[in-house]
């Protein structure tokens, strides 16, 4: 190799042009230093001044060493306590002996009777009390800029943690410093021993009170390792917390530390089986998470994350933390009678918690979705949902907790690929939610039916005590036969319905919102068909309509158009246009719908387009609950018509008694194009 380099002309060029001149310059600099640098000269040939300076320096070092060896560190307890108290604005005292050993490859310190008081607003209890604290550090690692602690022993520590409703935390020594998660990073500890530790937690915002014991012990028996056991209450219901980890012996930075944690309360149970990838760096860990309970909304009290009301649930997923970012991947399980899967990301952005995710169901039960909207599911064995909502009512009345919408932001997208068989014939669901600063926007709100679809948006402003909401929903192509039941196996009405509801108002629940809303509602049937018997009855044609009904006549009449417009004020929808135009009859109506009480009171007057021998002059009345309306006729006009017939028979001729029941059939076709255009 060396021979080949010598024969290489490039090597000769590099040597002559670069290496030789560089070596010459280095020798020149060395010679100059030897001749002119006073520091080099003083070290090489020290004179009297240099010898005196060296002697004094060594003497000072010796004095410092002897001083430190004989120094009573207890003299510093007061100054240290006063300095720390002033810096952290709370009383900090070192009441017991203070021992420091600096002359070791593992310098150590021991503090007895350490007390850290609470802030001004929580001075009634000390935040920290420690009977005995022993610390040791590795000098070599410290000189390289790393803090490693071969041993930490804490005897009878007592921690009192108080968090107020306005966000103040008693354990924060510097409350003005932004929370970047660095406080969860501890230096590596090879041996951690905690004896008879106690923790008291008072979290006032979520009404959590917890008393826990902490121990960390070496050994190989079942009691060795890290143990935290807590009991208390959450929202005045029982709460338990358990954390288990292995012994802290010879823990390595590159060896994960395994742990299990379980918390149970407010009808929910969470369990995590995980590992801290770099021991004592609690900002990063992985865990298999399982959670179950009666209502996902209860998780807010345990986690601080706002979730919707649901039926009982059972879910699993993989939880990963990286600093302030939590990700829950491969989430899967069941909520009520529906499956649920997806991914979630939980982060802190500008000091606010943010949740983003995509969720999906292969097969959705609509009753489970009703619970999300505020319905109250009845549950049978095995967490199977039977029904949702109050019996006989359409709109749920569960109030929305506006305070929970104010504490976080985020976006969620949910899709259901299929829906269990249901009366509305919903086949797919697509929902999107965006929450920011207390304002929730639902977009899209999309339901796909076997025929037709419902699309729209909703906005809930929860920045005030009572939320203010606005909805805009559009119905396209929904089959009338799904609304009006068949008779004798034959559809009563066929056709496609178009509709729109544009409402706004305040209310804590869906029902309260409807009861006080304002806006417009409309329903259009551009064309369709109706059984001739019912078309005739719109004009109360006794001979034609009743005869066809009694004889099960299946013939149909054309619905040229049907248009209903309602103006909504204070939760009452009043008709402004109500027209049903069929081939034999033109009908127009009026009336109101009470959205809060879920009742209707409608009147339909019909006019035949052809002459009828026997036609009763009486409107059709539709009244009662929306879920079970009653249909009848107004008795007054019929009685008056019959009285007129009796009078004519007495004064003129018996045949004249038929005249009041004869309708000349003068009604004309409605201008359907104009009606539909005005409605849209």
């Amino acid at each position: 190799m060396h021979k080949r380099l010598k024969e290489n002309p490039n090597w000769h060029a590099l040597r002559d042009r670069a290496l030789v001149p560089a070596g010459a310059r280095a020798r020149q600099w060395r010679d100059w230093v030897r001749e002119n640098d006073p520091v080099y000269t003083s070290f090489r040939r020290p004179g009297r001044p240099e010898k005196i300076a060296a002697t004094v320096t060594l003497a000072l070092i010796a004095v410092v060493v002897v001083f430190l060896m004989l120094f009573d560190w207890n003299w510093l307890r007061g100054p240290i306590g006063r300095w720390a108290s002033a810096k952290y604005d709370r009383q900090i005292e070192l009441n017991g002996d203070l021992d420091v050993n600096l002359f070791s490859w593992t310098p150590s310190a021991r503090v007895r009777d350490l007390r850290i008081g609470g802030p001004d607003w929580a001075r009634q209890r000390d935040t920290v009390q420690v009977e005995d604290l022993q610390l040791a550090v590795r000098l070599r690692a410290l000189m390289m800029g790393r803090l490693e602690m071969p041993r930490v022993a804490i005897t009878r520590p007592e921690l009192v943690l108080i968090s107020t409703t306005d966000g103040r935390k008693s354990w924060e020594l510097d409350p003005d410093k932004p929370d970047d998660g660095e406080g969860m990073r501890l230096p590596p500890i090879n041996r951690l021993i905690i004896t008879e530790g106690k923790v008291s937690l008072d979290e006032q915002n979520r009404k959590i009170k917890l008393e826990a014991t902490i121990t960390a012990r070496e050994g190989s028996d079942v009691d060795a390792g890290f143990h935290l056991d807590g009991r208390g209450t959450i929202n005045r219901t029982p709460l338990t917390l358990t954390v288990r980890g292995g012994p802290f012996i010879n823990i390595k930075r590159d060896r994960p530390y395994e742990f299990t944690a379980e918390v149970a309360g407010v009808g929910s149970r969470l369990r995590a089986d995980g590992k801290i990838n770099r021991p004592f760096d609690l900002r990063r860990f992985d865990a298999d998470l399982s959670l179950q309970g009666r209502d996902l909304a209860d998780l807010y009290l345990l986690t601080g994350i706002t979730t919707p009301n649901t039926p009982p649930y059972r879910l699993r997923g993989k939880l990963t933390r990286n600093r302030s970012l939590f990700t829950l991947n491969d989430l899967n399980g069941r909520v009520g009678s529906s499956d649920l899967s997806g991914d979630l990301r939980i982060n802190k952005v500008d000091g606010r918690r943010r949740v983003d995710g995509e969720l999906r169901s292969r097969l959705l039960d609509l009753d489970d979705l009703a619970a999300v909207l505020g319905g109250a599911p009845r549950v049978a064995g095995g967490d199977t949902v039977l029904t949702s909502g109050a019996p006989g009512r359409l709109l749920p009345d569960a109030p929305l907790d506006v305070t929970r919408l104010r504490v976080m932001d985020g976006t969620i997208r949910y899709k259901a690929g299929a829906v269990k068989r249901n009366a509305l014939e919903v086949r797919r669901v697509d929902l999107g939610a965006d929450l920011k600063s207390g304002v929730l926007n639902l977009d899209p709100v999309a339901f796909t039916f076997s025929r037709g679809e419902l699309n729209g948006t909703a906005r809930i402003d929860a920045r005030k005590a009572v939320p203010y909401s606005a909805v805009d929903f559009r119905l396209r192509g929904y089959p009338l036969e799904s609304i009006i039941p068949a008779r004798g196996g034959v559809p009563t009405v066929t056709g496609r319905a178009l509709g729109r509801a544009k409402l706004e108002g305040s209310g804590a629940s869906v029902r309260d919102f409807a009861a006080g809303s304002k806006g417009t509602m409309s329903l259009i049937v551009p064309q369709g068909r109706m059984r001739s018997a019912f078309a005739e009855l719109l004009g109360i044609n006794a001979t034609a309509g009743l005869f066809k009904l009694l004889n099960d006549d299946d013939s149909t009449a054309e619905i040229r158009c049907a248009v209903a417009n309602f103006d909504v004020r204070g939760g009452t929808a009043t008709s402004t246009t109500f027209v049903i135009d069929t081939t034999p009859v033109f009908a127009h109506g009026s009336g109101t719908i009470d959205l809060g009480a879920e009742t209707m009171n409608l009147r339909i007057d019909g006019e035949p387009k052809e002459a009828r021998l026997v036609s009763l002059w009486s409107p059709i009345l539709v009244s009662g609950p929306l879920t079970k309306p009653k249909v009848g006729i107004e008795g007054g006009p019929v009685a008056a018509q019959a009285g007129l017939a009796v009078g004519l028979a007495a004064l003129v001729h018996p045949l004249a008694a038929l005249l009041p029941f004869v309708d000349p059939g003068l009604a004309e076709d409605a201008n359907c194009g104009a009606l539909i255009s005005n409605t849209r």
Side-chain angles (χ1 to χ4, degrees):
M1 180 69 180
H2 183 66
K3 183 179 181 180
R4 286 199 300 269
L5 283 176
K6 286 185 176 181
E7 295 174 354
N8 191 333
N10 294 330
W11 161 253
H12 289 286
L14 176 64
R15 181 192 62 187
D16 296 339
R17 295 178 182 178
L19 298 181
V20 171
R25 286 193 296 271
R27 287 191 296 273
Q28 291 175 359
W29 180 82
R30 181 198 62 190
D31 295 340
W32 184 91
V33 169
R34 287 177 175 177
E35 295 296 332
N36 301 284
D37 186 33
V39 176
Y40 178 83
T41 303
S42 65
F43 274 101
R44 185 176 179 84
R45 295 185 296 273
R48 180 178 177 82
E50 288 81 6
K51 293 179 180 180
I52 293 174
T55 302
V56 171
T57 301
L58 292 174
L60 288 175
I61 293 175
V63 170
V64 170
V65 170
V66 173
F67 173 78
L68 292 177
M69 293 176 63
L70 301 177
F71 181 73
D72 187 354
W73 290 92
N74 288 319
W75 295 343
L76 294 181
R77 291 182 307 174
I80 292 175
R82 288 189 293 272
W83 171 83
S85 299
K87 179 176 177 59
Y88 297 113
D89 195 24
R90 62 179 69 206
Q91 192 67 29
I92 298 178
E93 298 177 352
L94 287 72
N95 296 317
D97 288 338
L98 174 61
D99 295 327
V100 178
N101 179 18
L102 296 178
F103 303 101
S104 170
W105 288 112
T106 56
S108 62
R110 184 174 186 178
V111 181
R112 297 177 180 85
D113 195 4
L114 171 65
R115 186 179 75 84
I116 302 177
D120 289 338
W121 51 270
R123 290 192 182 278
Q124 65 274 17
R125 297 185 66 182
D126 292 335
T127 300
V128 177
Q129 285 187 350
V130 179
E131 182 177 301
D132 193 340
L133 173 62
Q134 301 179 47
L135 306 172
V137 299
R138 284 199 172 87
L139 183 59
R140 293 177 181 176
L142 190 63
M143 295 175 64
M144 297 176 65
R146 299 195 314 267
L147 179 60
E148 296 181 2
M149 308 182 74
R151 185 173 186 271
V152 174
I154 310 173
T155 303
R156 296 187 181 89
E158 294 187 12
L159 282 71
V160 178
L161 311 177
I162 303 173
S163 176
T164 62
T165 54
D166 58 3
R168 293 178 298 175
K169 298 178 176 61
S170 65
W171 61 89
E172 289 184 339
L173 296 179
D174 190 359
D176 297 329
K177 181 180 178 181
D179 183 10
D180 56 3
E182 293 295 331
M184 301 299 292
R185 183 181 183 183
L186 303 176
I189 303 174
N190 292 118
R191 297 175 62 196
L192 175 63
I193 302 171
I194 302 176
T195 304
E196 298 181 22
K198 295 181 180 180
V199 177
S200 176
L201 174 64
D202 182 7
E203 214 279 30
Q204 299 170 8
N205 187 43
R206 288 179 281 165
K207 299 181 176 62
I208 297 176
K209 289 185 177 294
L210 183 72
E211 299 292 334
T213 61
I214 299 179
T215 60
R217 192 170 69 82
E218 300 175 359
S220 58
D221 56 2
V222 294
D223 294 328
F226 179 82
H227 290 195
L228 186 150
D229 297 279
R231 292 185 177 276
T233 61
I234 176 170
N235 201 25
R236 300 183 180 87
T237 63
L239 172 68
T240 60
L241 172 64
T242 303
V243 180
R244 293 287 184 270
F248 294 91
I249 301 178
N250 297 324
I251 292 180
K252 304 295 183 182
R253 293 172 60 91
D254 57 350
R255 183 184 303 167
Y257 179 78
E258 297 183 353
F259 70 92
T260 63
E262 185 171 314
V263 58
V266 288
S268 304
R269 182 180 297 274
L270 282 70
R271 179 182 173 89
D273 295 280
K275 57 185 178 181
I276 302 173
N277 299 318
R278 301 186 69 176
F280 299 101
D281 187 354
L282 304 182
R283 304 170 305 166
R284 296 179 176 88
F285 63 78
D286 301 312
D288 292 325
L289 181 67
S290 63
L291 53 160
Q292 65 183 80
R294 64 190 180 191
D295 190 338
L296 273 172
D298 295 335
L299 289 180
Y300 172 78
L301 296 174
L302 292 176
T303 65
I305 299 174
T306 301
T307 48
N309 292 100
T310 67
Y313 63 92
R314 188 185 297 268
L315 300 168
R316 298 184 63 87
K318 295 185 178 299
L319 178 66
T320 300
R321 177 177 183 177
N322 185 5
R323 294 181 180 268
S324 63
L325 175 63
F326 292 81
T327 57
L328 184 57
N329 295 321
D330 300 328
L331 179 70
N332 65 88
R334 301 195 69 80
V335 177
S337 301
S338 309
D339 66 276
L340 183 69
S341 60
D343 303 284
L344 293 173
R345 297 172 301 279
I346 306 164
N347 204 351
K348 264 198 171 182
V349 180
D350 297 330
R352 288 176 58 84
R353 183 176 286 106
R354 180 177 179 86
V355 178
D356 299 280
E358 297 181 359
L359 302 173
R360 54 195 171 271
S361 294
R362 293 187 300 273
L363 186 61
L364 167 69
D365 190 326
L366 274 185
D367 281 339
D368 300 331
L369 190 59
V372 173
L373 298 176
R378 289 193 300 111
V379 182
D383 293 344
T384 301
V385 175
L386 298 179
T387 60
S388 294
R393 302 300 294 266
L394 294 175
L395 302 178
D397 58 0
L400 177 68
D401 192 338
V402 295
T403 59
R404 298 188 181 186
L405 293 183
R406 300 171 187 161
V407 300
M408 57 172 277
D409 303 323
T411 59
I412 297 291
R413 190 68 180 265
Y414 171 78
K415 293 184 179 181
V419 182
K420 291 183 179 180
R421 184 181 298 275
N422 57 88
L424 298 176
E425 298 188 14
V426 179
R427 293 294 180 263
R428 290 186 299 277
V429 175
D430 187 0
L431 302 174
D434 181 89
L435 176 62
K436 186 174 182 180
S437 301
V439 178
L440 175 63
N441 286 291
L442 301 176
D443 184 12
V445 178
F447 293 82
T448 302
F449 306 98
S450 57
R451 287 178 292 172
E453 59 185 14
L454 174 69
N455 293 286
T457 61
R459 185 176 189 271
I460 302 174
D461 189 341
R463 290 175 293 184
K464 296 183 179 180
V466 179
Y468 191 89
S469 306
V471 300
D472 188 359
F473 295 145
R474 293 177 181 267
L475 181 68
R476 295 184 177 90
Y478 193 73
L480 291 176
E481 50 267 40
S482 296
I483 302 175
I484 303 175
R487 182 182 177 88
V490 179
T492 302
V493 181
T494 60
R496 299 294 181 90
L498 306 175
R500 185 178 185 182
K502 190 174 183 180
L503 303 172
E504 62 178 287
S506 58
S509 67
V510 175
R511 185 179 301 171
D512 290 343
F513 162 73
S517 61
K518 62 180 180 180
T520 59
M521 297 192 310
S522 60
L523 183 67
I524 302 172
V525 180
Q527 59 184 5
R529 302 200 67 81
M530 176 185 294
R531 286 183 63 179
S532 298
F534 288 96
E536 295 285 355
L537 282 177
L538 288 175
I540 310 297
N541 185 349
T543 54
L546 292 176
F547 180 79
K548 290 179 179 181
L549 279 178
L550 294 173
N551 287 276
D552 294 328
D553 187 293
D554 293 338
S555 62
T556 60
E558 179 186 1
I559 300 176
R560 298 186 64 251
C561 66
V563 177
N565 286 328
F566 292 87
D567 184 68
V568 182
R569 291 291 181 271
T572 299
T574 304
S575 64
T576 56
T577 302
F578 195 162
V579 171
I580 304 174
D581 187 19
T582 69
T583 304
V585 173
F586 173 82
H588 57 88
S590 62
T592 60
I593 300 175
D594 190 329
L595 300 179
E598 298 184 14
T599 59
M600 64 172 64
N601 187 11
L602 303 176
R603 169 188 171 123
I604 304 174
D605 291 288
E607 301 176 27
K609 297 180 178 181
E610 300 176 358
R612 294 290 187 266
L613 176 61
V614 181
S615 183
L616 302 180
W617 301 341
S618 179
I620 295 176
L621 301 181
V622 183
S623 61
L626 296 178
T627 54
K628 291 184 179 181
K630 297 179 181 179
V631 181
I633 62 173
E634 190 174 1
V638 174
Q641 190 178 8
L644 178 59
V646 172
L648 288 175
L651 295 175
V652 184
H653 189 275
L655 289 178
L658 295 176
L659 293 178
F661 297 95
V662 176
D663 194 309
L666 300 179
E668 298 180 355
D669 290 343
N671 187 347
C672 289
L675 288 171
I676 295 174
S677 178
N678 291 336
T679 300
R680 291 181 178 176

